[in-house]
Amino acid sequence: MSVLFSKPSKSNSPNPTSLLSPKPTNLKVLSRYVKINALLAIIAAVIGLWALQLVFSYLSELDSLDDSYTMAEAIKYIFYRSPYFLEQFMPTGALLGAVVGLGLLANNSELVVMRAAGVSVYRIVGWVLQPALIFVILALIINQFVLPYSNQLAKAINSEDNSSLVTSVRGYWTVQPRFEETTDGKTKADGSDILYIDYADVKGNIGEVKRWHLDNNGNLQTAVHAEGGQYIGREPLATASSKPSEQYRYEWQLNNMTKLSINQGFESSKAVSPSDTLSLPFAPESVYLLTRQAEDLSLTQLYEHRQFMRQQGTRSLSHELAFWQKLLSPLSILSLVIVACSFVFGSLRTHSLGLRIVVALLFGLLFSYVQDLVGFVSLATGFSPLLMVILPIIVSAVLGGYLLKRQM
């Protein structure tokens, strides 16, 4: 009888605290489970939004089809633009995927069990952020290595449509003052040149060149047009000292040049020359950067463009804005994932998954529109592009953190 009614030993009795407190092995299993669910959901969301954009782009190109722009070229154009669409929808896809992945876990009460086992909300958020880092790296790779080439190939297909737009500004424009030597060896002002270069590559080849020479009163004297040119070398600038100059003038050989001269009687004469030279104060690599649009340059090329403009004492707000947008795009992904976690653990935790998806889509679109808006504000006002780009990211991250903290 003493055996039947004897108290169970302390070693055999279950400890409620030990049941609820997760062990390291259990945490690894939970971590892997949450990460896989979040990763698959984010991949599905990004691919879904990307495919939807490709369909819309295909439908929009149908109106532009003609004898010169066929269906095959339209499909090729969309294919070359697809990396740009993928990079653009990556933040919104990460937001939507995180909401779906965590929402499915919440609907199955799996998040409740994790919380009851002692797993904190911040730890779960950290697990969700780790798969998002894959898309952070992917976004950087696309911006650095893919977009400069894919955008260039896409614009080569649609170049005729872009060139027909009167408001489009392509290539490199500059105004260069001119000087001529007098009989006593001095120099005097000889008006200025307005120079336009349509295209340049890293090998030193340039495309169409136009140059207008104005006198000191602003009257047009000559107009020059060349179909292209090749880099032929550099020459040091002449200096008063005997030391060699560290500054150079870089020379291009122009091909198929046509020169139109206008005299004071408003009579003109046209001359065709097989070749002529073009002198610029910077290297072919810099000409290549100056003739490309900001969205067609990689991160490193945008940085080089920024440094070059600083050396020239000028700045290009559009290139600075593109640089900070591409550099800080990974932070956009992470901040939106934090907002997605706040939707699941915050005020929307009692609502259906469908409502969370709708709210996530609306927030993602709002975030994208705000980013575009602050970019236009920076270009219009000259305000710091860095501050205007990082401001929506900080606001979304703070909002997500605040909504999460309210539930602690």
Side-chain angles (χ1 to χ4, degrees), residues 328-329 331-332 335 367 371 389-398:
L328 299 178
S329 61
L331 296 182
S332 303
S335 66
F367 181 83
Q371 278 191 318
V389 170
I390 203 173
L391 186 61
I393 300 174
I394 294 177
V395 170
S396 64
V398 170

Side-chain angles (χ1 to χ4, degrees), residues 99-100 102-109 111 342-360 407:
V99 169
V100 172
L102 287 178
L104 292 176
L105 296 179
N107 288 347
N108 296 329
S109 302
L111 291 181
S342 69
F343 288 164
V344 177
F345 292 106
S347 58
L348 296 178
R349 67 187 186 278
T350 58
H351 294 79
S352 64
L353 179 60
L355 179 61
R356 294 175 192 156
I357 293 176
V358 172
V359 174
Q407 304 306 316

Side-chain angles (χ1 to χ4, degrees), residues 26-322:
N26 295 335
L27 281 178
K28 290 182 179 179
V29 174
L30 289 177
S31 172
R32 192 183 309 114
Y33 181 70
V34 173
K35 292 175 186 177
I36 291 176
N37 277 274
L39 177 62
L40 294 178
I42 293 176
I43 291 176
V46 170
I47 292 178
L49 293 176
W50 183 37
L52 193 62
Q53 178 61 35
L54 292 178
V55 172
F56 288 153
S57 300
Y58 171 76
L59 295 177
S60 66
E61 292 298 319
L62 292 179
D63 296 334
S64 305
L65 297 180
D66 51 26
D67 295 336
S68 60
Y69 187 60
T70 62
M71 177 67 70
E73 291 180 340
I75 295 176
K76 189 183 297 184
Y77 170 76
I78 296 173
F79 174 76
Y80 289 141
R81 289 289 287 173
S82 59
Y84 173 77
F85 298 145
L86 177 61
E87 192 271 337
Q88 288 293 308
F89 280 99
M90 211 168 286
T92 306
L95 168 66
L96 182 60
V99 169
V100 172
L102 287 178
L104 292 176
L105 296 179
N107 288 347
N108 296 329
S109 302
E110 292 170 297
L111 291 181
V112 177
V113 174
M114 294 180 192
R115 294 294 310 280
V119 181
S120 66
V121 172
Y122 294 122
R123 175 168 286 181
I124 299 175
V125 172
W127 291 342
V128 179
L129 286 175
Q130 293 180 32
L133 292 176
I134 299 176
F135 293 89
V136 167
I137 298 173
L138 182 60
L140 289 175
I141 292 175
I142 292 176
N143 281 322
Q144 176 64 29
F145 301 105
V146 180
L147 288 184
Y149 302 101
S150 61
N151 285 347
Q152 182 178 355
L153 293 172
K155 289 184 177 181
I157 297 176
N158 248 350
S159 59
E160 295 183 359
D161 295 337
N162 292 335
S163 61
S164 64
L165 298 176
V166 179
T167 56
S168 64
V169 179
R170 301 183 304 163
Y172 171 62
W173 292 84
T174 184
V175 178
Q176 296 178 321
R178 289 183 56 164
F179 301 92
E180 64 175 356
E181 292 187 3
T182 60
T183 55
D184 55 357
K186 297 181 180 180
T187 59
K188 67 175 184 178
D190 185 28
S192 59
D193 282 344
I194 300 176
L195 177 66
Y196 167 72
I197 301 176
D198 176 69
Y199 168 79
D201 59 21
V202 292
K203 298 180 180 179
N205 301 316
I206 58 177
E208 183 183 19
V209 177
K210 298 178 181 179
R211 182 168 55 190
W212 298 266
H213 174 51
L214 308 178
D215 60 14
N216 294 324
N217 297 323
N219 299 318
L220 179 64
Q221 298 295 308
T222 59
V224 175
H225 175 270
E227 295 182 0
Q230 293 80 34
Y231 177 65
I232 57 177
R234 65 182 185 179
E235 294 182 358
L237 293 177
T239 57
S241 62
S242 58
K243 296 181 180 180
S245 174
E246 295 181 357
Q247 297 180 348
Y248 299 90
R249 291 201 66 84
Y250 300 86
E251 305 287 336
W252 278 263
Q253 188 78 26
L254 299 181
N255 303 324
N256 300 327
M257 192 193 75
T258 303
K259 183 177 181 180
L260 179 66
S261 300
I262 303 175
N263 56 27
Q264 295 180 355
F266 297 99
E267 296 179 357
S268 61
S269 61
K270 185 177 181 181
V272 179
S273 174
S275 64
D276 195 4
T277 58
L278 170 68
S279 298
L280 293 175
F282 33 80
E285 296 82 5
S286 301
V287 180
Y288 169 76
L289 295 177
L290 293 172
T291 55
R292 299 289 297 276
Q293 294 185 2
E295 64 177 10
D296 298 335
L297 296 176
S298 64
L299 272 171
T300 54
Q301 291 172 341
L302 286 171
Y303 178 77
E304 293 173 0
H305 183 279
R306 188 162 173 258
Q307 295 300 108
F308 174 77
M309 297 299 287
R310 282 186 175 181
Q311 294 175 1
Q312 300 296 317
T314 58
R315 62 185 304 192
S316 173
L317 286 175
S318 60
H319 287 78
E320 290 185 22
L321 180 65

